[in-house]
Amino acid sequence: MRAVPASKVWVTGLTVGAIAVVAALAVQADRGDKPAAAAARPSASATTGPEPQPTESAAPAAVPDGSGTGRRIVYSLGQDRVWLVDASDSPRRTFAVWPGTVDPDPGTYTVGTRTEDPITGSDGVRIEHVVYFAVKSGVNVAFSNAVDGSSPPPADGARTGGIRMTTADGSALWTFGSAGTTVAVVE
């Protein structure tokens, strides 16, 4: 029997350790566990892809009454939450958002212009997946996500209409919210 060099045993031990850490993180992600640093951020859905799925949670938030019917994006001002609702009125995904300082009035809007490539938002942050749907007092109101995943508070006195979300939720809203999609804003 040939002896295994100590350096190979050490590398093998590191590999086994790394696999164990990745497996533990995958289990946590599957269960919805979040590190303490993520607790202050809106929760993201566990799934991504072309057809958004509802957020996994013990008691997912119900689509607000009075938000209309059919395929639509629902934005609740009071809950700082968005729902992507399919044509059968079933929520496909819901997630918390960080609103800007200028809220759209409650009502029904339509997605207009969309910008996928990164641009600089009115707060100086690089954003992507920008989905414009309203203008209030000369301020464009749009859903977006920061390229780096951050969401700093708006500068004092700044008038911003960006409704920010996590990168995964921004991608899902971008896919769901094509031009002409209805956006229902509720209290």
Side-chain angles (χ1 to χ4, degrees), residues 24-181:
L25 291 173
V27 168
Q28 285 179 347
D30 191 45
R31 288 192 328 218
D33 295 350
K34 294 180 183 70
R41 300 176 61 108
S43 61
S45 173
T47 60
T48 59
E51 186 59 35
Q53 299 297 315
T55 298
E56 303 277 339
S57 69
V63 178
D65 291 336
S67 68
T69 59
R71 188 176 188 283
R72 65 197 183 280
I73 298 168
V74 178
Y75 172 44
S76 170
L77 299 169
Q79 294 182 55
D80 292 337
R81 177 166 287 280
V82 167
W83 290 259
L84 306 180
V85 182
D86 68 19
S88 68
D89 285 325
S90 296
R92 303 301 302 157
R93 186 181 187 116
T94 183
F95 47 88
V97 296
W98 297 284
T101 59
V102 177
D103 286 331
D105 292 324
T108 303
Y109 302 87
T110 302
V111 170
T113 304
R114 295 169 11 117
T115 304
E116 183 174 21
D117 295 329
I119 61 171
T120 301
S122 57
D123 58 358
V125 174
R126 296 288 291 164
I127 58 175
E128 64 186 350
H129 298 127
V130 185
V131 178
Y132 297 93
F133 67 93
V135 176
K136 181 171 180 188
S137 303
V139 176
N140 288 316
V141 180
F143 300 110
S144 65
N145 63 270
V147 172
D148 67 2
S150 69
S151 188
D156 289 338
R159 295 174 37 83
T160 61
I163 302 162
R164 295 282 171 76
M165 58 205 64
T166 65
T167 304
D169 292 329
S171 180
L173 191 138
W174 172 263
T175 300
F176 187 89
S178 56
T181 300

